[in-house]
């Protein structure tokens, strides 16, 4: 398997390969299997998925993603777009990274498992077909295994996704939010930043089931999301992104910029994205310093920014 790329590289290198990840492998396989069931079959499989997740969490000793270790940087996973690599995504994300405090956040750049040119993709599509048009995502199970393996290492504070990586993140979050709402263990970050996303058509049932839940109730599940939309995006146009953001209830922020299908680097966009990621760190630090339980979610609904 491809090793994740760490930013900043001086903080910590995550273990890679079958030998060093043997402690998490069994757990991640069970976690991935439960998610595949949920994503294929919708809410009626929720109870079964929860039981599998509970067994996996107990057997593998997976720690809660909402409970960061004191005095160590909080982990953020980055998912690149179709045709990109972790290196190219890191370069494009650098203006945002420069705004983040590396003593608070450690960003891990994952590499998509399916090759496409000089980069990769999280699933394979027929030529000329966009992710929001496709009937299925061929090979997405391998990507689920990769992402759940990272969650199995524990303490995931945030996930950043761009384009196909953001689409991947959208239905991954939707499935896990429904698991958490049902009182089952779930792989959820505290913060989710989705840039240039689109509607994941094969998982419309999962997304619509999330949208049907009370918006205020979703805000209490401990996962805030920021959806960044380009007004002139012709790859994943705004009409494909807005339905995604509408599924996440009162925990959602929507930010629009004047650009196309890009990671925006204008002052307003960088300020909003960096503040979104860092505010949760400051809240968690305050809770730790006061002796409060770090796993407690922020119960305040977030306001939409347009």
């Amino acid at each position: 398997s491809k090793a994740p790329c760490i930013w900043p590289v001086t903080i910590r290198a995550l273990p890679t390969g079958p030998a060093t990840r043997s402690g998490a492998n069994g757990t991640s396989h069970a976690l991935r299997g439960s998610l595949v069931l949920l994503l294929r079959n919708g809410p009626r499989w929720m109870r079964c998925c929860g039981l599998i997740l509970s067994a996996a969490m107990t057997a593998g000793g997976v720690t809660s993603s909402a409970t960061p270790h004191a005095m160590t940087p909080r982990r953020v996973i980055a998912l690149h777009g179709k045709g990109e690599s972790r290196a190219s995504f890191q370069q494009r994300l650098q203006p945002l990274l420069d705004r983040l405090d590396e003593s608070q956040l450690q960003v891990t750049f994952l590499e998509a498992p399916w090759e496409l040119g000089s980069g990769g993709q999280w699933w394979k599509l027929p030529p000329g077909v966009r992710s929001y048009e496709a009937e299925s995502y061929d090979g997405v199970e391998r990507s689920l295994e990769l992402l759940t393996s990272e969650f199995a290492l524990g303490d995931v504070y945030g996930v950043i996704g761009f384009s196909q990586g953001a689409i991947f993140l959208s239905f991954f979050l939707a499935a896990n939010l429904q698991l958490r709402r049902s009182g089952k263990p779930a792989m959820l970050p505290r913060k989710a930043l989705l840039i240039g996303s689109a509607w994941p058509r094969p998982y419309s049932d999962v997304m619509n089931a999330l949208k049907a839940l009370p918006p205020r109730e979703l805000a209490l599940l401990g996962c805030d999301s920021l959806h960044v939309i380009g007004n002139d995006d012709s790859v994943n146009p705004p009409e494909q992104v807005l339905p995604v953001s509408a599924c996440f209830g009162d925990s959602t922020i929507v930010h629009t910029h004047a650009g196309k299908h890009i990671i925006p680097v204008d002052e307003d966009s960088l300020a909003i994205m960096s503040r979104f990621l860092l505010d949760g760190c400051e809240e968690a630090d305050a809770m730790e310093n006061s002796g409060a339980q770090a796993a407690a979610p922020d119960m305040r609904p977030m306001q939409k920014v347009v």
Side-chain angles (χ1 to χ4, degrees):
S1 61
K2 298 177 181 179
C5 178
I6 309 297
W7 176 91
V9 294
T10 55
I11 289 182
R12 182 164 63 90
L14 297 181
T16 58
T20 55
R21 288 198 181 201
S22 59
N25 271 346
T27 301
S28 64
H29 281 302
L31 295 174
R32 179 182 63 85
S34 67
L35 267 181
V36 169
L37 283 175
L38 175 60
L39 295 175
R40 283 180 176 172
N41 297 280
R44 68 180 181 272
W45 276 92
M46 198 78 67
R47 185 170 181 273
C48 175
C49 294
L51 294 174
I52 296 173
L53 278 168
S54 296
M57 298 278 279
T58 301
V62 181
T63 59
S64 168
S65 63
T67 312
H69 297 300
M71 306 305 292
T72 61
R74 289 163 174 82
R75 295 182 59 222
V76 175
I77 297 171
L79 307 173
H80 62 72
K82 179 182 176 182
E84 286 191 302
S85 66
R86 63 191 181 196
S88 65
F89 188 39
Q90 180 177 354
Q91 184 177 14
R92 294 220 290 159
L93 206 61
Q94 195 61 49
L96 175 60
L97 299 180
D98 291 340
R99 300 262 184 139
L100 305 180
D101 186 346
E102 64 185 55
S103 68
Q104 291 183 301
L105 296 177
Q106 168 192 282
V107 183
T108 302
F109 290 83
L110 300 188
E111 190 90 45
W114 302 105
E115 292 186 2
L116 181 66
S118 60
Q121 54 188 336
W122 300 103
W123 50 82
K124 294 177 283 186
L125 296 170
V129 175
R130 297 284 172 82
S131 288
Y132 59 80
E133 300 170 329
E135 297 289 343
S136 62
Y137 291 164
D138 183 25
V140 70
E141 292 85 358
R142 185 179 294 183
S143 295
L144 281 168
E145 181 175 1
L146 178 63
L147 184 54
T148 55
S149 292
E150 292 300 320
F151 269 86
L153 297 175
D155 298 346
V156 176
Y157 166 79
V159 184
I160 302 171
F162 171 67
S163 193
Q164 195 183 70
I167 298 172
F168 182 20
L169 179 55
S170 70
F171 62 81
F172 182 86
L173 292 174
N176 278 283
L177 280 165
Q178 291 173 74
L179 286 171
R180 176 169 286 181
R181 180 179 181 268
S182 299
K184 307 299 191 297
M187 294 167 283
L188 279 176
R190 179 68 179 84
K191 298 283 186 175
L193 173 55
L194 300 89
I195 307 171
S197 183
W199 187 260
R201 185 177 178 186
Y203 304 115
S204 293
D205 289 346
V206 177
M207 301 298 292
N208 287 325
L210 184 69
K211 186 178 181 180
L213 299 177
R216 171 64 180 171
E217 193 172 311
L218 288 175
L220 304 180
L221 296 178
C223 177
D224 299 329
S225 61
L226 169 59
H227 302 256
V228 179
I229 305 171
N231 280 332
D232 291 335
D233 191 336
S234 60
V235 176
N236 291 334
E239 57 266 28
Q240 287 295 328
V241 187
L242 289 171
V244 175
S245 64
C247 293
F248 289 87
D250 288 349
S251 63
T252 304
I253 301 173
V254 176
H255 169 65
T256 60
H257 61 88
K260 298 182 179 182
H261 193 62
I262 61 171
I263 299 170
V265 295
D266 61 278
E267 179 61 31
D268 286 347
S269 295
L270 289 175
I272 288 171
M273 291 187 293
S274 59
R275 185 172 68 244
F276 171 77
L277 292 170
L278 290 172
D279 279 353
C281 288
E282 294 170 359
E283 292 167 4
D285 287 341
M287 294 172 69
E288 290 171 3
N289 291 336
S290 66
Q293 184 178 358
D298 180 7
M299 306 297 276
R300 300 169 298 171
M302 302 187 73
Q303 300 299 316
K304 288 191 176 183
V305 178
V306 180

